[in-house]
Amino acid sequence: MTDKRIWRGIQVVAVAAVLVYVARRIASQWGELASLQQSINVDWPMVAASALIVLCSYAVLIWTWQQTVRAWGERLGFRDASRIWFVSNLGRYVPGKIWQIGAMGMLAQRVGVSPVAAIGSSLVISIVNVLAGVAIAVALGVGSAAGQAAWWAAPLIGVLAAGVIAAPWILPVAVRAASVILRRQLQTPKLPHSAIWKAAIGCSAAWLLYGIAFRLLHISLLGHATGDIARSTAAFTGSYIAGFLFLPAPGGIGIREDFLQRFLIQFGIAAGAEAWLIVLASRAWLTILEVLPGLAYLMFTKRAPKTSSPEAE
């Protein structure tokens, strides 16, 4: 119990330190930011279009996870998969983020998916999603970085590709780690290789859709955007992954904002108050799109049956 309290204390201190640091950086440009906000005329139809593309990326990820579950020979309808995905997504706003994986596995078991497929598929998507995201951020962003940084891009992408290929061997290690964190014994699954390729393709497509949506949000706020979609995608994806990997911060808060602001400048997309405006708007935009669907499912849908129906497959 003492160890748990110590870990929680470390999480609180780490998150507080990050938030104070980011708040001070924003405060240093608050006057310019407030002045900029007064001249903004938001293009709401374009904001809606960007939100629709994000929802499309969610649909791709849900389908990808559904297909990964089926690679274990299980059945999971798209409707059930959507509900489980969005409700478990709320877990990323709990410090630690492992609760998102645990919730996904638990909810999948409630609709008849075996524990092995439920936990295994959740881990597969998480691992492959991170590897694919880093590869896309590096591949699309390296051309905008300083020239001396380009030499490491190809080796890093090669390592990430090897990581995807090695996922069947990485998964048992991840399962053992999840068993320790969740304090329950999880069976180590034998990962079908087809699940890896489906997950890699689906996760990569979702990251690209995220990048397009982020670009539209940028234009909807300022009426223009420098750089290109590739750089916008690299900036968004890189910052999102950084926030995701910082386990203490719910939703990557603070870390994602800091990295995104730096990437926007590094890639020549935005600077100064404009960069911070995009960063803050992006946080509000993505939080709403991540949280509202899960809350809606919790509030307006009945409890799932014990077995999954083939509807909407």
Side-chain angles (χ1 to χ4, degrees):
M1 192 69 174
T2 302
D3 291 342
K4 183 181 291 187
R5 288 179 179 176
I6 292 174
W7 171 237
R8 286 179 179 173
I10 292 173
Q11 288 179 311
V12 171
V13 171
V15 173
V18 169
L19 291 178
V20 169
Y21 170 72
V22 174
R24 291 182 65 180
R25 294 190 63 206
I26 295 174
S28 67
Q29 295 185 336
W30 186 254
E32 185 181 350
L33 182 59
S35 176
L36 177 63
Q37 288 177 314
Q38 294 175 1
S39 63
I40 289 176
N41 185 16
V42 179
D43 186 340
W44 290 108
M46 189 168 289
V47 173
S50 71
L52 181 60
I53 294 174
V54 171
L55 294 178
C56 288
S57 74
Y58 290 163
V60 171
L61 287 172
I62 293 167
W63 178 87
T64 301
W65 177 59
Q66 180 193 29
Q67 297 306 309
T68 306
V69 170
R70 290 183 175 186
W72 266 276
E74 299 288 332
R75 292 177 62 83
L76 180 65
F78 190 83
R79 183 177 299 175
D80 280 337
S82 299
R83 178 181 54 80
I84 293 168
W85 179 273
F86 283 120
V87 172
S88 64
N89 229 18
L90 298 174
R92 70 179 56 191
Y93 288 90
V94 176
K97 298 183 181 70
I98 189 66
W99 304 115
Q100 179 185 3
I101 298 174
M104 185 177 289
M106 179 189 68
L107 293 172
Q109 290 178 57
R110 287 185 178 178
V111 295
V113 177
S114 73
V116 171
I119 297 294
S121 61
S122 302
L123 288 170
V124 167
I125 292 298
S126 296
I127 293 171
V128 174
N129 199 36
V130 169
L131 293 174
V134 175
I136 286 175
V138 172
L140 297 182
V142 71
S144 305
Q148 64 269 22
W151 66 269
W152 51 258
L156 179 56
I157 294 173
V159 169
L160 294 170
V164 172
I165 295 173
W169 294 274
I170 296 175
L171 183 61
V173 177
V175 170
R176 287 194 290 271
S179 297
V180 172
I181 295 172
L182 296 174
R183 296 185 177 182
R184 56 178 296 194
Q185 188 59 40
L186 301 175
Q187 182 180 351
T188 301
K190 182 178 180 182
L191 179 64
H193 286 256
S194 61
I196 290 296
W197 303 115
K198 289 180 180 179
I201 293 171
C203 291
S204 298
W207 284 122
L208 294 175
L209 287 171
Y210 265 133
I212 295 171
F214 176 68
R215 181 75 171 182
L216 290 181
L217 177 69
H218 180 172
I219 297 173
S220 71
L221 294 173
L222 301 175
H224 65 276
T226 55
D228 51 31
I229 290 180
R231 297 182 187 188
S232 294
T233 302
F236 177 86
T237 304
S239 62
Y240 195 105
I241 292 295
F244 180 81
L245 293 178
F246 188 70
L247 297 182
I253 189 168
I255 295 295
R256 186 196 298 175
E257 285 72 28
D258 184 58
F259 272 81
L260 181 55
Q261 190 267 351
R262 294 177 186 276
F263 285 149
L264 289 174
I265 295 174
Q266 180 181 357
F267 297 155
I269 299 172
E274 287 191 354
W276 280 116
L277 176 66
I278 296 167
V279 167
L280 296 176
S282 173
R283 164 58 68 178
W285 165 75
L286 202 58
T287 299
I288 291 171
L289 292 174
E290 286 178 338
V291 170
L292 281 186
L295 293 179
Y297 269 111
L298 287 176
M299 294 174 62
F300 301 115
T301 61
K302 297 180 180 178
R303 186 175 179 177
K306 293 296 181 182
T307 57
S308 178
S309 64
E311 60 184 332
E313 296 182 356

